[in-house]
């Protein structure tokens, strides 16, 4: 199983970045992909869940309206388009996968709900 996050970098406030998470080694259609982030000295926090259809994509209030998740099922990849970035968005961004068929269902906005984790990609928002 592999989840590979990429696309991080240094950007000025108000700028944009597009993160990607490429997955392999599990049945793609059975999994929800989530994004979490961890700022220096802070606990990891949930950012977004990206399900298999548009109406199953959710966002933390802190990024709603600025971040947009999408899923390319042909490439087993999800993207997170991040616009109007703020200094508070700085951190290491992780993608993780949660089996959508688990009984009972597990939350995609909690770390304990994840089955697999990728290594993070650093996002730094600074002038």
């Amino acid at each position: 199983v592999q989840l590979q996050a990429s696309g991080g970098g240094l950007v000025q406030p108000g700028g944009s970045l597009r993160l990607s998470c490429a997955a392999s080694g599990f049945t793609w259609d059975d999994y929800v992909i989530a994004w979490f982030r961890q700022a220096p000295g802070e606990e990891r926090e949930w950012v977004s869940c990206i399900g298999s259809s548009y109406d199953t994509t959710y966002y933390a209030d802190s990024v709603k309206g600025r971040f947009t998740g999408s899923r390319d099922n042909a490439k087993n990849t999800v993207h997170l388009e991040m616009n109007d970035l703020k200094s508070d968005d700085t951190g290491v961004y992780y993608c993780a996968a949660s089996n959508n068929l688990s009984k009972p269902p597990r939350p995609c906005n909690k770390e304990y709900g994840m089955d697999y984790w990728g290594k993070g990609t650093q996002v730094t928002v600074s002038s």
Side-chain angles (χ1 to χ4, degrees):
V1 173
Q2 187 171 14
L3 289 165
Q4 182 64 54
S6 62
L10 173 64
V11 63
Q12 292 186 344
S16 299
L17 281 175
R18 188 189 196 213
L19 304 185
S20 298
C21 176
S24 62
F26 58 87
T27 305
W28 175 253
D29 291 345
D30 292 344
Y31 283 77
V32 172
I33 304 299
W35 287 96
F36 292 78
R37 67 186 181 187
Q38 187 168 21
E42 302 289 332
E43 293 187 354
R44 192 153 49 184
E45 66 172 354
W46 171 71
V47 175
S48 176
C49 295
I50 302 173
S52 57
S53 60
Y54 177 78
D55 60 354
T56 58
T57 302
Y58 307 102
Y59 305 95
D61 287 344
S62 59
V63 306
K64 200 173 293 182
R66 300 186 297 120
F67 290 13
T68 302
S70 62
R71 186 170 175 129
D72 184 342
N73 291 327
K75 296 182 179 180
N76 287 14
T77 300
V78 297
H79 303 287
L80 186 68
E81 188 75 35
M82 307 188 297
N83 297 314
D84 190 22
L85 283 161
K86 308 176 187 301
S87 58
D88 288 347
D89 296 318
T90 293
V92 179
Y93 282 67
Y94 300 89
C95 60
S98 176
N99 193 319
N100 205 28
L101 303 179
S102 296
K103 300 296 182 186
R106 282 176 286 162
C108 72
N109 62 347
K110 301 293 184 184
E111 292 188 51
Y112 67 81
M114 301 297 111
D115 294 287
Y116 307 116
W117 289 86
K119 294 181 180 179
T121 184
Q122 175 71 45
V123 171
T124 303
V125 184
S126 176
S127 55

